[in-house]
Amino acid sequence: MSRQWWKESVVYQIYPRSFNDSNGDGVGDLNGITEKLDYLKDLGVDVLWLSPVYDSPNDDNGYDIRDYQAIMDEFGTMEDWENLLSEVHGRGMRLIMDLVVNHSSDEHKWFAESRKSKDNPYRDYYIWRPGKEDGSEPNNWESAFSGSAWQYDEQTGEYFLHLFSKKQPDLNWENPKVREEVYGMMRWWLDKGIDGFRMDVVNFISKVEGLPDAEPQEGKKYAPGGEYFANGPRIHEFLHEMNQEAMKNYDAMTVAEMPGVTPDLAQKYTDEAREEVDMVFQFEHVDLDSGPGGKWDLRPLRLRDLKENLSKWQKALEHKGWNSLYMNNHDQPRMVSRFGNDGEYRVKSAKMLATMLHMMKGTPYIYQGEEIGMTNVKFESINEYEDIETLNMYREKRAEGVPHEEIMKSIYVKGRDNARTPVQWNTEKNAGFTTGEPWLKLNPNYTEINAEQAVADPDSVYHYYRRLIELRHNNEVIVYGGYDLLQPEDETFFAFERPYQGEKLLVICNFTGEQAEFVLPEEYSGKEGGLLISNTESEEVVTFDTKLSFTPYEARVYRVMV
Ligand code: NOJ
């Protein structure tokens, strides 16, 4: 397995809208990010990933791009962006940009042309189809943001496809001109000096010819059509072409967001010999607490399912390909509320979850606020929410007669705004995020949970992340070691080993709020373990007996010679 800087890096994701507002308009911006670079450098992260900062009407907070080569006014200017890049590089960090090319905004100039007439030169940049005989949509695919994935456009009497909002028309990747435009745009950013891309739902770009109807769902008009657009027939060809045309001549990384990707497919996508992408974001582990009805259909997570799943990924990409490691991003609820305990054990369980993730093999991603243990939020009124996915779902369910309280319950657990409340910097008004009116309300717990407090407290979640990152930088075993799960059926502990060149890390995490005994594998008996890190005070060196006793949410990592 080759050595690469991106395998040895820790990435920090910034959702610029909610990160830090430098000019008091209530919206985070580029200069706000630049102001906080020392904070990020001190944390120790190597790479910053910016969620989209391009010109956009913000139907989906920048994931609907109007101009791929311009900066969103609210975020600043190209000069601000260039300054940010040079300040990032000046601190020895790298910067990667979001690449959103499954779709553009309907306000992009290509789409404005495309919708004008059927013979417009840009018509085939998007996916247009006539309605069925009865005038209804060309197929029954459901948009990820509720309702049909097709929008009728009066001007030419045809429908266009939008897998996301109707202001996010899908680009037609079958058209070689579209591909050339995208590769040219990527090179333009790479020439500016960026260090790579995170690729938004990029495994959706190749659709099955004929766009067949999805399997109908009982009582529903529309159905998820993933089998006809996720990992589609030409996906490997397109990604390889993108690699050759845009990435190959740059020392840059790629991480491809891929809903519906399996370990087998991921091995193909990330096999270095195939030259497609460096790593993928998979979704299986964050779908384990969803029922058959999808993400809003809540069900409790079983620890053994999480262990089975993450271990499957660790094993599948152990020798070929590479994993990304994440629990949080701008689409996922806060991990400490979801898989830990955001009350009494907030700090301890946030550290435990971080230990589990950061001791695995792969490139870890930290989402803004995760490093201070930010939690989910509960706004009383639906009007206080901003996310299009949440709002559309709420409207649809209300129309179906689902009671308000029931819908809110699922929003509290799974809504994307949980991750998007502004970063909590200090105890001042609006947590120091803005001097103006914040675009999305803050989580009121900022008086206790904030970066200033966390930096000042050596026992904070923040300082624990710093140590985890430092350990990764200083211990090859964490980056390149193997992985073996222990006790797969156990519902209390997530424990695994990381063997590497005559040593082994033993990682043991108590996922429960109870004190518990961990029974060691026999081979440990009588061996010495040196404590690498723990979220609880613990002996530096132990001679293992048969068991170890753990307090609630305790995590420990030992180094053992084998
Ligand atoms: C995935 C992004 O992470 C999400 O925020 C966005 O809404 C969709 N792709 C559509 O671009």
Side-chain angles (χ1 to χ4, degrees):
M1 170 162 296
S2 73
R3 288 175 179 246
Q4 306 283 353
W5 62 262
W6 42 263
K7 294 183 180 171
E8 297 166 10
S9 294
V10 176
V11 184
Y12 185 94
Q13 182 192 354
I14 294 178
Y15 193 69
R17 209 172 182 74
S18 303
F19 190 67
N20 183 35
D21 173 21
S22 72
N23 64 358
D25 66 357
V27 174
D29 48 40
L30 295 171
N31 290 337
I33 300 171
T34 307
E35 280 174 10
K36 297 292 182 187
L37 289 180
D38 288 333
Y39 167 84
L40 297 171
K41 180 69 191 168
D42 288 347
L43 180 60
V45 294
D46 307 282
V47 180
L48 306 182
W49 149 30
L50 296 188
S51 273
V53 296
Y54 314 100
D55 175 42
S56 160
N58 282 311
D59 191 51
D60 185 20
N61 289 349
Y63 282 92
D64 48 321
I65 297 170
R66 183 162 48 202
D67 183 344
Y68 289 102
Q69 280 153 285
I71 298 293
M72 191 189 304
D73 281 344
E74 285 173 304
F75 289 175
T77 62
M78 191 58 84
E79 232 185 325
D80 297 335
W81 181 86
E82 273 155 8
N83 180 47
L84 170 62
L85 179 68
S86 97
E87 293 289 327
V88 169
H89 283 166
R91 284 169 179 77
M93 295 187 284
R94 291 178 158 100
L95 186 74
I96 69 171
M97 298 284 277
D98 223 302
L99 181 79
V100 188
V101 290
N102 172 68
H103 46 267
S104 72
S105 163
D106 66 339
E107 297 183 29
H108 193 289
K109 60 175 193 267
W110 299 335
F111 191 76
E113 286 298 317
S114 184
R115 74 179 351 162
K116 278 185 185 160
S117 66
K118 288 187 188 167
D119 55 9
N120 186 285
Y122 288 89
R123 185 65 170 183
D124 275 347
Y125 271 46
Y126 296 87
I127 303 173
W128 293 95
R129 293 288 184 277
K132 285 188 178 155
E133 250 165 45
D134 62 356
S136 65
E137 297 90 355
N139 70 26
N140 67 350
W141 295 359
E142 184 177 38
S143 148
F145 295 158
S146 306
S148 170
W150 294 93
Q151 176 68 22
Y152 183 71
D153 201 48
E154 292 213 327
Q155 206 154 327
T156 53
E158 284 192 337
Y159 289 86
F160 65 85
L161 178 70
H162 61 90
L163 294 180
F164 294 88
S165 107
K166 58 177 189 285
K167 286 185 67 61
Q168 292 168 301
D170 280 54
L171 283 160
N172 176 19
W173 276 72
E174 298 295 324
N175 181 348
K177 283 200 208 126
V178 168
R179 308 207 294 274
E180 272 162 37
E181 300 257 22
V182 170
Y183 307 148
M185 176 270 284
M186 290 171 74
R187 288 191 300 264
W188 187 84
W189 283 104
L190 288 159
D191 286 338
K192 279 185 171 292
I194 66 163
D195 302 290
F197 289 106
R198 173 268 186 187
M199 303 174 169
D200 191 70
V201 291
V202 76
N203 64 330
F204 288 3
I205 59 180
S206 165
K207 278 89 176 167
V208 168
E209 219 187 294
L211 312 176
D213 272 325
E215 182 77 28
Q217 292 200 327
E218 222 191 285
K220 300 238 165 159
K221 194 164 170 201
Y222 307 112
E227 62 191 297
Y228 298 118
F229 58 76
N231 312 303
R234 298 183 70 187
I235 186 64
H236 293 286
E237 175 197 337
F238 291 161
L239 290 177
H240 180 68
E241 184 182 79
M242 180 188 270
N243 178 289
Q244 301 299 296
E245 297 293 320
M247 303 305 304
K248 202 174 177 175
N249 298 321
Y250 301 87
D251 180 21
M253 62 169 272
T254 52
V255 52
E257 188 203 27
M258 294 192 163
V261 69
T262 60
D264 283 353
L265 279 169
Q267 205 193 61
K268 245 176 127 174
Y269 285 126
T270 65
D271 175 356
E272 289 172 27
R274 296 177 56 92
E275 303 185 303
E276 294 181 17
V277 296
D278 294 330
M279 60 192 121
V280 306
F281 285 136
Q282 60 101 358
F283 282 72
E284 290 184 346
H285 67 305
V286 289
D287 287 340
L288 294 172
D289 56 355
S290 303
K295 81 178 255 186
W296 307 107
D297 180 7
L298 309 179
R299 72 171 176 195
L301 173 79
R302 291 194 320 177
L303 181 59
R304 103 184 79 125
D305 292 342
L306 183 69
K307 295 198 289 190
E308 195 254 331
N309 187 267
L310 290 178
S311 304
K312 181 175 77 180
W313 280 87
Q314 289 285 298
K315 283 316 228 187
L317 303 182
E318 188 166 350
H319 303 297
K320 198 189 274 181
W322 192 250
N323 265 298
S324 72
L325 305 171
Y326 80 94
M327 285 293 207
N328 289 285
N329 60 40
H330 63 293
D331 296 328
Q332 298 294 332
R334 293 283 178 183
M335 94 182 166
V336 67
S337 302
R338 186 178 191 180
F339 302 127
N341 172 313
D342 63 7
E344 185 186 353
Y345 293 115
R346 182 185 67 85
V347 169
K348 202 169 168 195
S349 67
K351 292 176 181 174
M352 181 278 288
L353 291 167
T355 311
M356 181 271 290
L357 202 70
H358 282 250
M359 286 298 140
M360 287 194 177
K361 182 173 188 163
T363 300
Y365 288 75
I366 301 170
Y367 176 69
Q368 64 184 36
E370 175 183 339
E371 79 282 12
I372 57 169
M374 278 178 64
T375 68
N376 281 354
V377 73
K378 284 185 183 165
F379 295 138
E380 250 170 63
S381 158
I382 186 68
N383 299 324
E384 291 169 304
Y385 287 84
E386 293 284 345
D387 170 30
I388 181 167
E389 181 192 41
T390 299
L391 297 175
N392 287 358
M393 180 282 286
Y394 180 86
R395 257 181 248 126
E396 187 177 88
K397 294 233 153 129
R398 286 299 285 146
E400 286 166 11
V402 183
H404 166 83
E405 291 71 29
E406 200 177 304
I407 310 175
M408 292 313 285
K409 220 161 103 192
S410 65
I411 294 174
Y412 294 156
V413 178
K414 288 288 187 68
R416 303 197 297 181
D417 282 337
N418 282 310
R420 298 176 181 187
T421 61
V423 172
Q424 299 165 196
W425 294 106
N426 54 43
T427 54
E428 286 162 29
K429 189 170 166 232
N430 297 322
F433 162 71
T434 181
T435 54
E437 196 51 44
W439 73 276
L440 175 67
K441 268 182 43 174
L442 280 104
N443 190 322
N445 65 17
Y446 71 81
T447 49
E448 278 153 56
I449 306 171
N450 60 72
E452 193 176 77
Q453 180 282 329
V455 170
D457 174 5
D459 287 330
S460 67
V461 178
Y462 170 87
H463 285 288
Y464 196 81
Y465 269 83
R466 267 191 45 185
R467 288 170 57 209
L468 286 172
I469 297 166
E470 202 172 281
L471 284 173
R472 176 168 289 262
H473 288 156
N474 295 327
N475 292 276
E476 283 200 350
V477 50
I478 301 176
V479 180
Y480 293 112
Y483 173 93
D484 293 299
L485 178 68
L486 298 173
Q487 305 176 7
E489 303 298 325
D490 186 82
E491 275 295 330
T492 302
F493 290 101
F494 195 152
F496 54 89
E497 300 174 315
R498 300 291 315 277
Y500 188 66
Q501 296 184 346
E503 65 173 353
K504 231 179 211 182
L505 298 186
L506 171 63
V507 182
I508 311 166
C509 300
N510 179 358
F511 261 68
T512 73
E514 313 292 325
Q515 107 102 67
E517 304 267 290
F518 180 77
V519 180
L520 286 153
E522 255 171 49
E523 49 161 322
Y524 281 89
S525 225
K527 286 222 166 78
E528 231 178 50
L531 191 72
L532 202 63
I533 190 168
S534 171
N535 61 358
T536 312
E537 223 157 286
S538 208
E539 276 178 285
E540 288 301 317
V541 180
V542 288
T543 303
F544 292 119
D545 195 348
T546 52
K547 285 181 194 164
L548 289 169
S549 181
F550 280 74
T551 57
Y553 296 107
E554 183 169 352
R556 278 185 234 162
V557 182
Y558 290 106
R559 185 199 297 279
V560 188
M561 293 303 161
V562 286

